[in-house]
Amino acid sequence: MSRAEALSPTRLKDAAPLFAALGDATRLGLLVSLCSGGPLTVTRLSGQFDVSRQAITKHLDVLAEAGLVKSSRQGRERIWTFEPKRLEDAHQYLERLSREWDVALGRLKAFVET
Amino acid sequence: MSRAEALSPTRLKDAAPLFAALGDATRLGLLVSLCSGGPLTVTRLSGQFDVSRQAITKHLDVLAEAGLVKSSRQGRERIWTFEPKRLEDAHQYLERLSREWDVALGRLKAFVET
DNA sequence: AAAAAATGCAACCAGGGGGTTGCATCATTC
DNA sequence: GAATGATGCAACCCCCTGGTTGCATTTTTT
C-alpha cells in the first residue's frame, strides 16, 4: 500500500462513518440547505424541518463529526457551512468500488474467452 | 422537474436508505469481497469476518433491500452477487450535491464582484 | 438411510440513534 | 438592567440495529 493510500480517508474503515452520516433523510436535507442556501444558523435551519431545534443540532453534530459541515461562532449565533472535501472522499470511494468491479468483469470476460 | 428526474432513485428520500446501507464497515467489506472476489455464498463470506454467519446474513439482507446485492438459489446454497446499478445512483446523487455547491459558489462570486 | 453441509428461522439482548422536554447560559437590544 | 433571542446542556424514551445462540429444514454425499 502506498503512503498516499495509507493516509487517504477513503479507506474502508474511514468510509463507513462518512456514509453513515449521509444515511439519514434529515441530514441529507440539511446538506442540501447549506449547500444551495448558503451558511445558516441552527434556528433558521430547524424552521425548514418538522423536528425540534435540538434534534437539528444533533444532526449537525453528526455531520460535523464526519467532516461534512463546519461551524463558527459569530456573536450569539453559530453559523453552519457546508464542507465539500469529505463529499469528494465519498465520491472517490464509490469510484474505487466500481472500478474494482469493472476489473473483476474484465477478468471474467478474459477467462470466458479462453 | 423532468420526468426522468422525477423517477430517478437519486432523489433525497431514496438516497438516504442507500447511504445508510453503505454506512457500516462490515457491509462495505462484504461489497468489496463480492466486488473483487466474485459471487460467493454466505458461509464462504462469513469466513472472512469475525462475526457469525447469521449476522452476515442480516447484513446481506440490508444490502439486498438497498439493491446493492442480489441473491439466487443454486441447489442447497444461495449465491450472492454484487449489483452495480445502485452504486451508480449514489454516485450521481453525490455529484448533484457538489454541483449545487459549485453553483452556489458561483452565485456568491458574482455577488461579491458586483 | 444416515451423516454432513448450507441455510432458514426465531428468540433474545445490549447499545446507540433519533426524538423530546425543561432549564441554564450568553449575547443583544430597548 | 431587563427583556428577548439564540444556543448549550442534560435527562429521558422508544425503537431499531447489530450481534448472539439454538434449533429446524433442505440438499448432498457416502
Side-chain angles (χ1 to χ4, degrees):
Chain A
M1 193 188 296
S2 75
R3 175 161 184 80
E5 207 170 347
L7 291 178
S8 167
T10 57
R11 282 177 307 166
L12 194 143
K13 70 177 186 109
D14 302 311
L18 181 52
F19 286 124
L22 293 171
D24 180 278
T26 305
R27 283 198 287 270
L28 282 183
L30 286 171
L31 283 186
V32 170
S33 287
L34 291 180
C35 216
S36 49
L40 282 174
T41 178
V42 190
T43 35
R44 298 278 288 178
L45 280 168
S46 33
Q48 309 179 9
F49 303 86
D50 53 354
V51 293
S52 71
R53 167 184 61 85
Q54 288 87 335
I56 298 292
T57 299
K58 288 190 185 178
H59 280 304
L60 288 171
D61 286 341
V62 172
L63 289 173
E65 187 75 20
L68 288 164
V69 302
K70 192 176 59 177
S71 76
S72 66
R73 274 309 267 285
Q74 212 160 13
R76 83 178 139 180
E77 45 187 29
R78 174 177 293 275
I79 311 292
W80 294 87
T81 65
F82 177 63
E83 194 72 21
K85 297 191 198 78
R86 285 288 152 137
L87 212 63
E88 187 59 33
D89 291 340
H91 181 84
Q92 282 183 17
Y93 185 82
L94 291 184
E95 280 212 333
R96 278 175 50 192
L97 250 190
S98 51
R99 202 180 319 138
E100 223 161 337
W101 172 249
D102 289 341
V103 170
L105 273 195
R107 271 199 300 268
L108 178 62
K109 188 158 173 261
F111 173 76
V112 168
E113 286 174 349
T114 307
Chain B
M1 195 189 293
S2 74
R3 176 161 184 81
E5 207 170 347
L7 292 177
S8 167
T10 56
R11 282 176 310 165
L12 195 141
K13 70 175 188 110
D14 301 311
L18 181 51
F19 287 124
L22 293 171
D24 179 279
T26 305
R27 284 198 286 271
L28 282 183
L30 286 171
L31 283 187
V32 170
S33 287
L34 291 179
C35 217
S36 48
L40 282 173
T41 176
V42 190
T43 36
R44 299 277 289 178
L45 281 169
S46 33
Q48 310 179 8
F49 303 85
D50 54 354
V51 292
S52 71
R53 167 183 61 85
Q54 288 88 335
I56 298 293
T57 299
K58 287 190 184 177
H59 280 303
L60 288 171
D61 287 342
V62 172
L63 289 173
E65 188 74 20
L68 288 164
V69 301
K70 191 176 60 175
S71 75
S72 66
R73 276 309 267 285
Q74 213 159 12
R76 84 176 136 179
E77 45 187 28
R78 175 178 293 275
I79 310 291
W80 294 87
T81 66
F82 177 64
E83 194 72 21
K85 296 192 199 78
R86 284 289 152 134
L87 213 63
E88 187 60 31
D89 291 340
H91 181 85
Q92 282 183 18
Y93 185 82
L94 291 183
E95 281 213 332
R96 278 176 49 193
L97 251 191
S98 51
R99 200 180 320 138
E100 223 159 339
W101 172 250
D102 289 341
V103 169
L105 273 194
R107 270 200 301 267
L108 178 60
K109 188 158 172 260
F111 173 75
V112 168
E113 286 174 349
T114 308

